[in-house]
Every structure is written in structure tokens, then in C-alpha cells.
Amino acid sequence: ARYGHCDVPQEWEQDPSLGRWVHLQRTSRNDGRLSQKRVARLGALGFNWGRSNLSWEENFEQLERYKAEFGDCKVPLGWERSPALGVWVYNQSKRKGALTVGQVERLDALGFEWDRSNLSWDENFEKLERYKARYGDCNVPYRWKDDRGLGYWVNNQRTSERNGTLAVERVRKLEALGFQWARQRAAWYAYVGRENRNKAWYAYVG
């Protein structure tokens, strides 16, 4: 429902076990070990047994067209115009060591981003920008029905900031957008400033 397809990447960061399970269903069916009942249930869901039939070259050409249109190679996993291209881009970032030198060089020349963690953060930040433009704040509900992943991501930013593991440049980008680390703490932070603000807060409430 969220991405519009069943092509879960084998090393999907958000749920690696699901990616491995999907891969196992394909291999089990190809080996004749998957029951017809399960084959039918997966088929009714639109399960793609052969994954993408496109070659590496054809996918690369699609990525070139995406870059020409959007200015980058950040194809979302759930891109509605071509979900398979989003999966292919994700897979390239995970298997750089398995690519040929020529393939790596061509992706580099196109401006491909290998660090998917940064890419995922940027994608979610862009989603948050759209949420802010629509609703006027960054307080995405934790289980927001329109995009649960965004709600989880927002909560994770608060947790990471509280633990001191969120990069300074990301903290600044979020704050420039009007991000509230905690609704109760927002006014306090504005009063004490950034320096030692968590220490000051916990001294205040402790």
C-alpha cells in the first residue's frame, strides 16, 4: 500500500528480514518448494516472481532520464512512475563492490549517491518540508496514517538529538524548518540557547 509494489530490496535498511523473506519466496518458488496456496496468495498481491526484467544498461538509461528531469539520482523507493527504478537504485548503493569498474565510474559521473543513509535522511527531510507547508508545523504524529514512516523518522530525530548522536548540520536544518525537539522543551531551549541546552533542561526538570 505504501510503495505500490512488492519488490522489497534484499538488504532493505528499514526491515532487512522482510527483504530476505521476499528473496526466499522467489527462490523457493523457482525450486518448486513453495506451496501452490502461497504462490496464489502472493500472486494476488501482485508479487513479481522474476523481479525486473530490465538489464543494468536499461535501468541506467532510465536513471539518466530521471536525472535530466529532476536534477539528481535520488529516486524514491516508492516512486509511483517506476517503482522498479527506485529498487534498482537502492540495490546499486548496496552492491557497489559487485559492480564493474566501468559501472561505478558511470554512476559516479552521473552524480550517484552511494551513501543511502544520507539519501534516506534527505528524502525524509523533504517530506517533512511538504508536511510543514501543508500543516504549518513539523509535529508529525508518531503513527500518522498518511505516512507512518515519516512519523517514525521524526521521532527518531528527537531521540538522536537527545542522545547527542544527531549531526550538527542536521540539527540546524531541522531547526531552520521550525522543528520542535519536544513541545514542552521548545520554549525552554529558546530561552537558554543551544549551548548545554540538554544539561540545562534536565537540571531544570530534575
Side-chain angles (χ1 to χ4, degrees), residues 148-166:
R148 288 196 174 188
L150 181 59
Y152 298 154
W153 180 83
V154 164
N155 183 69
N156 287 339
Q157 304 316 296
R158 291 193 173 106
T159 301
S160 297
E161 187 271 343
R162 186 168 61 249
N163 295 336
T165 59
L166 190 62

Side-chain angles (χ1 to χ4, degrees), residues 126-161:
E126 289 171 4
K127 286 184 180 181
L128 185 59
E129 286 182 311
R130 292 192 291 272
Y131 182 95
K132 170 74 179 291
R134 181 177 180 182
Y135 296 105
D137 60 54
C138 300
N139 297 320
V140 184
Y142 182 65
R143 296 184 182 276
W144 188 38
K145 63 179 181 178
D146 290 358
D147 189 342
R148 288 196 174 188
L150 181 59
Y152 298 154
W153 180 83
V154 164
N155 183 69
N156 287 339
Q157 304 316 296
R158 291 193 173 106
T159 301
S160 297
E161 187 271 343

